[in-house]
């Protein structure tokens, strides 16, 4: 079993839709949770960074962490074609620990 | 801020040759740098972690004699793929962390290696 599981999709939605991306993890020691966006042939860029459980909002993006169920989510409101990319969740146990990535979900937002 | 560059962005080489990839933190000092490998439609797999002035720590299954990592300064780390073979063809991505204050990792744009 992988430490971080993520549905690879692909996921295709119309412009303006609300997108829900999810990951589950198995390591109870994980305390830091990140979402990265990766465009084709580019390195990942950090979208959201959350410590422990709770919600965090940044513009059209909302990250949720439920440590009791080991479930993390990213919601994208009013999705745009420019949001089309691969979204990777990542977890780590300590502030200086190594990142463990999910497989990534390929998202396409069509006009 | 927090820009990480990689060079080259892509490289094609013949089997048996060695290839060096550079990773630079442009606007901060990176006490720790990470090297990842990513195969098509797969996630990032950590290869090794390097701290400036120290030997790199390799993940299980990664051959340290094949993937040589040097972190000679606070802004530069290099990955050398020695005696490359077609199975080494992949997307190599580095990331850097300052270790001061906000200690998130910032990723470079990646290097596409194709071994013929």
């Amino acid at each position: 079993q992988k430490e971080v599981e993520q549905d690879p999709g692909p996921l295709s939605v119309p412009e303006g839709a609300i997108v829900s991306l999810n990951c589950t993890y198995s390591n109870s020691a994980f305390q830091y949770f990140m979402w990265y966006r990766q465009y084709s042939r580019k390195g990942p860029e950090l979208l959201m960074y959350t410590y422990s459980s709770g919600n965090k909002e940044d513009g059209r993006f909302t990250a949720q962490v439920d440590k009791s169920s080991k479930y993390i989510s990213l919601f994208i409101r009013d999705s745009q074609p420019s949001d089309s990319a691969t979204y990777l969740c990542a977890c780590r146990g300590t502030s200086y620990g190594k990142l463990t990535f999910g497989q990534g979900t390929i998202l396409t937002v069509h006009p | 801020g927090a820009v990480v560059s990689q060079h080259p962005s892509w490289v094609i080489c013949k089997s048996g040759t060695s290839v060096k990839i550079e990773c630079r933190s442009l606007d901060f000092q990176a006490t720790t740098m990470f090297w990842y490998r990513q195969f098509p439609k797969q996630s990032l797999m950590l290869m090794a972690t390097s701290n400036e002035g120290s030997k790199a720590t390799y993940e299980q299954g990664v051959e340290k004699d094949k993937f040589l990592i040097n972190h000679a300064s606070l802004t530069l780390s290099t990955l050398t793929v020695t005696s490359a073979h077609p199975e080494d063809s992949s997307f190599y991505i580095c990331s850097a962390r300052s270790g001061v204050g906000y200690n998130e990792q910032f990723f470079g744009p990646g290097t596409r290696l194709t071994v013929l």
Side-chain angles (χ1 to χ4, degrees), chain A residues 53-87:
Chain A
S53 286
N55 293 0
K56 187 173 184 179
E57 188 173 324
D58 184 2
R60 297 185 294 111
F61 299 91
T62 299
Q64 288 185 352
V65 176
D66 182 346
K67 290 189 70 178
S68 63
S69 59
K70 298 187 177 66
Y71 196 83
I72 58 178
S73 302
L74 177 70
F75 298 95
I76 307 173
R77 292 184 298 280
D78 188 25
S79 56
Q80 302 295 310
S82 58
D83 295 327
S84 298
T86 296
Y87 289 79

Side-chain angles (χ1 to χ4, degrees), chain B residues 11-88:
Chain B
V11 57
I12 301 172
C13 69
K14 292 183 179 179
S15 184
T17 61
S18 294
V19 175
K20 179 183 284 188
I21 302 170
E22 292 187 349
C23 175
R24 295 181 184 270
S25 56
L26 298 184
D27 51 3
F28 67 101
Q29 293 186 322
T31 55
T32 305
M33 286 187 169
F34 305 84
W35 287 95
Y36 295 83
R37 182 166 51 182
Q38 186 177 33
F39 292 106
K41 297 190 177 183
Q42 294 189 27
S43 191
L44 283 77
M45 298 301 296
L46 180 64
M47 299 174 66
T49 302
S50 72
N51 292 297
E52 185 264 340
S54 303
K55 287 185 178 181
T57 300
Y58 291 81
E59 294 298 302
Q60 191 173 9
V62 177
E63 300 175 60
K64 62 180 180 180
D65 294 330
K66 180 167 188 62
F67 299 98
L68 302 179
I69 292 171
N70 184 286
H71 191 166
S73 76
L74 286 172
T75 59
L76 173 65
S77 176
T78 60
L79 167 68
T80 301
V81 183
T82 62
S83 186
H85 291 284
E87 59 266 28
D88 298 322

